[in-house]
Amino acid sequence: MSASRSGIRRRAFLARAAMGLGVGYAALTGRAPGAWGSPRDIAEPTGSEAAVENALWIPPLAPSVQEGDTRIFDLVAAPGRTAIMPGTETETWGYNGSILGPTLRVRSGEKIQIHVHNQLPEPTTAHWHGMRLPAECDGGPHQMIEAGATWSPTWWVDQPGSTLWYHPHPHGSTEVHVYRGLGGLLYVDDDETTSDLLPNRYGEDDVPLIVQDKTFDEQGQLVETGRRGVGMLGTTLLVNGQYQPTFRVTSELTRFRILNGSTARSYNFGFSDGRPFHLIASDGGLLDAPVQLDRVQLTPAERVEIVVRMSPGERVMLHSYPQELGAPNVPTGAQHEFDVLPLIAADELRPSPPLAERLTEVQRIDPGHAVTSREFLLYRDSINDQRMDMTRIDVVVTVDTIEIWDVKNVSRLPHNFHVHGMQFEVLSFNGQAPPPELTGWKDTVFVPPGVPMQLIMRFAKYSDPNLPYMYHCHLLWHEDSGVMGQFVVVEPGEEAGTVTTGLDWPASGRPTLSSPHPYQHHGRHG
């Protein structure tokens, strides 16, 4: 979103104030939904300029070209300036624009290539979060892209339709690169996810929402706040890189694909009037059937797809409610309550077909076929009491085998757990069957302090004894500080090789969980 097309200008800010919408609703200070979010209190925008200026910005679909059997995309990571806060422009980083990036849309079964051009002032990477692919294409910390260089991974898309995302992953600097604005959505389509029985008009009734929190100084520049507990908790909420947008609903049913794109903050989404919605998909694709909920929690990097029904002329607020993160004495933001996005329905809505009772048939993994189980203990700044070492291979697995990973958070901090290059199933949560929202494919899952989880996964198709995949906490300060390990997938009888790439990184001087004092930097980025 460049400064010229962000749609956030001071006149829009003043227009919103005049409507009585409350210019501070996105400040993350613990605001009840009734602060301005009850349906009767959401004013109807008046005047064409106000409606246009405050409209939710929808990331554009990335263009591509077909060459032979390969569809080719181009992403350019570069610094820019974005009109976010009223009356100023913020120095940000983005892909193909000044902040965030276009939505990459690919189809299951096709071959793709993505040219990633790095025009940033330092090395970065581009990780395809949730994608099943060879380790050499994963975009983790071993696939560094030097400033001025281009990286061009190529792979076949071999997984069900799902909402994935892409973001930088340079070890020790992932938090800062994401915070400055780098990230975008990656849709994998198949016949089920694009069915006419589901809302599927991009940006109209199939709407991407990238929810993030940031802090700005008086000049409107990004501030890296002191890191405590979970990391940097911002004071201002952005949706799709935008401050205080409004979404105009035009269909009876709207599908929201929500990504928690924050570096540290978790959200507990619901609607201000308590209306139910249907969860239809999690990280790795559709659930067997829609699940009716009135709240859904997302920790950093998790995604959901929800479908909500509205009537003509209705107004309701998407809201984040207090949540339980299992760490009452740690600064986590769990007690915060705030508005996220007002939804205002048109006077006439496009009819939507009834939501299907069955969405797909999730192909379950039989635990009886697991060849081994492994234990992963999440400490404050390490996994299994070992902090991340780029040269060390922590786990060696055999291709085309199934394993059960027992994951437990033994620290007092909230963590979550992400595995690269695959999707997994949650077998159990605290010794019980997982709740309905955890019954689909996942690649990132919340692991509260003291709660054991069992995950089952298949290491299918790709092997490389020298190039590892990562597993880590996706609270990015934790990840950068060492709550990460790496594994290689080998052929039967093959031994692990030697890691030789990306070893001159991370950059020194980044704050870690083991730093003696909280790190704080106020200034401009870019």
Side-chain angles (χ1 to χ4, degrees):
M1 180 169 58
S2 67
S4 63
R5 68 168 187 257
S6 70
I8 305 172
R9 295 290 185 271
R10 181 161 182 81
R11 63 181 181 273
F13 177 83
L14 295 175
R16 191 173 201 101
M19 288 178 234
L21 294 188
V23 296
Y25 85 91
L28 307 185
T29 56
R31 187 182 301 275
W36 77 274
S38 63
R40 62 181 179 277
D41 292 335
I42 300 178
E44 177 74 22
T46 57
S48 59
E49 180 183 58
V52 171
E53 290 290 347
N54 291 300
L56 176 70
W57 179 73
I58 304 297
L61 293 173
S64 64
V65 297
Q66 189 75 32
E67 293 187 5
D69 65 351
T70 306
R71 193 143 69 96
I72 300 174
F73 297 86
D74 279 88
L75 291 177
V76 179
R81 299 179 67 86
T82 308
I84 301 175
M85 303 307 292
T88 188
E89 291 187 343
T90 303
E91 295 181 17
T92 53
W93 289 2
Y95 298 103
N96 296 8
S98 63
I99 195 170
L100 297 177
T103 298
L104 300 173
R105 195 154 200 173
V106 304
R107 192 157 190 92
S108 183
E110 74 174 340
K111 185 181 180 183
I112 63 171
Q113 182 178 62
I114 305 176
H115 300 302
V116 185
H117 311 277
N118 181 11
Q119 295 183 6
L120 299 170
E122 63 182 68
T124 190
T125 81
H127 168 54
W128 321 109
H129 186 119
M131 185 68 76
R132 299 175 184 171
L133 75 180
E136 65 181 355
C137 302
D138 182 60
H142 293 285
Q143 286 86 49
M144 296 297 294
I145 312 169
E146 295 296 326
T150 296
W151 179 58
S152 301
T154 304
W155 72 92
W156 290 92
V157 180
D158 182 23
Q159 63 195 93
S162 47
T163 300
L164 313 181
W165 69 302
Y166 60 95
H167 63 82
H169 207 305
H171 181 43
S173 297
T174 299
E175 178 198 38
V176 171
H177 283 212
V178 171
Y179 187 74
R180 292 177 181 179
L182 292 173
L185 288 166
L186 197 171
Y187 288 7
V188 177
D189 291 335
D190 64 16
D191 290 345
E192 293 177 322
T193 58
T194 58
S195 166
D196 288 339
L197 296 178
L198 291 174
N200 60 21
R201 291 182 296 277
Y202 182 78
E204 297 179 26
D205 63 0
D206 184 354
V207 182
L209 299 180
I210 303 173
V211 182
Q212 298 175 303
D213 61 322
K214 300 184 189 295
T215 298
F216 298 87
D217 64 18
E218 293 180 354
Q219 288 72 47
Q221 300 308 311
L222 288 172
V223 174
E224 292 178 35
T225 61
R227 295 158 172 90
R228 300 174 57 213
V230 293
M232 289 193 291
L233 292 174
T235 58
T236 300
L237 193 74
L238 304 183
V239 181
N240 293 353
Q242 190 174 356
Y243 177 63
Q244 294 189 338
T246 296
F247 183 70
R248 301 303 299 272
V249 173
T250 58
S251 298
E252 292 174 339
L253 294 180
T254 304
R255 174 186 192 175
F256 291 105
R257 306 194 192 210
I258 307 176
L259 161 67
N260 180 348
S262 289
T263 65
R265 184 181 293 276
S266 297
Y267 302 93
N268 189 23
F269 293 109
F271 290 97
S272 55
D273 61 356
R275 73 179 59 200
F277 54 87
H278 283 94
L279 176 69
I280 64 168
S282 54
D283 298 339
L286 294 173
L287 305 182
D288 287 311
V291 175
Q292 183 170 299
L293 301 171
D294 59 13
R295 300 281 190 276
V296 63
Q297 184 185 63
L298 290 185
T299 61
E302 289 188 283
R303 289 91 61 210
V304 290
E305 298 180 31
I306 66 171
V307 174
V308 63
R309 178 176 293 277
M310 291 189 68
S311 299
E314 265 195 317
R315 301 160 181 82
V316 71
M317 179 69 71
L318 180 64
H319 190 78
S320 183
Y321 289 87
Q323 58 200 293
E324 177 54 59
L325 295 177
N329 299 316
V330 175
T332 63
Q335 76 281 11
H336 294 166
E337 181 173 2
F338 46 88
D339 294 321
V340 177
L341 179 70
L343 309 181
I344 301 178
D347 290 336
E348 295 184 8
L349 297 179
R350 180 174 185 154
S352 302
L355 192 60
E357 293 184 1
R358 297 292 296 178
L359 301 170
T360 190
E361 184 177 348
V362 177
Q363 300 298 311
R364 306 291 175 186
I365 302 175
D366 184 352
H369 293 161
V371 298
T372 191
S373 62
R374 303 179 190 271
E375 184 178 63
F376 296 84
L377 301 179
L378 308 184
Y379 289 87
R380 180 173 180 269
D381 61 354
S382 65
I383 299 178
N384 290 343
D385 220 14
Q386 291 186 305
R387 296 180 65 195
M388 173 63 180
D389 182 338
M390 292 278 283
T391 67
R392 186 187 67 237
I393 295 174
D394 298 286
V395 175
V396 181
V397 302
T398 302
V399 69
D400 292 325
T401 62
I402 295 168
E403 294 192 0
I404 294 173
W405 286 15
D406 293 296
V407 182
K408 185 175 182 180
N409 181 355
V410 295
S411 78
R412 293 182 296 172
L413 299 177
H415 287 303
N416 65 13
F417 193 73
H418 169 53
V419 184
H420 283 216
M422 68 180 59
Q423 297 286 328
F424 54 75
E425 287 182 68
V426 178
L427 283 182
S428 68
F429 180 89
N430 203 19
Q432 305 294 319
E437 58 268 30
L438 294 182
T439 56
W441 291 109
K442 294 283 291 174
D443 55 58
T444 308
V445 67
F446 177 45
V447 187
V451 175
M453 303 190 73
Q454 274 199 326
L455 315 178
I456 188 168
M457 60 201 77
R458 183 191 304 273
F459 300 89
K461 195 171 182 177
Y462 303 113
S463 64
D464 190 323
N466 301 306
L467 275 178
Y469 297 98
M470 305 294 118
Y471 54 86
H472 58 85
C473 176
H474 217 286
L475 281 66
L476 296 182
W477 183 41
H478 295 183
E479 171 190 324
D480 284 342
S481 298
V483 190
M484 180 160 66
Q486 50 190 8
F487 67 97
V488 293
V489 182
V490 300
E491 294 294 325
E494 188 178 28
E495 295 184 355
T498 302
V499 180
T500 60
T501 59
L503 303 186
D504 55 349
W505 198 258
S508 60
R510 300 294 190 199
T512 71
L513 282 162
S514 299
S515 298
H517 301 290
Y519 175 92
Q520 189 166 4
H521 172 71
H522 294 266
R524 299 158 70 90
H525 292 320

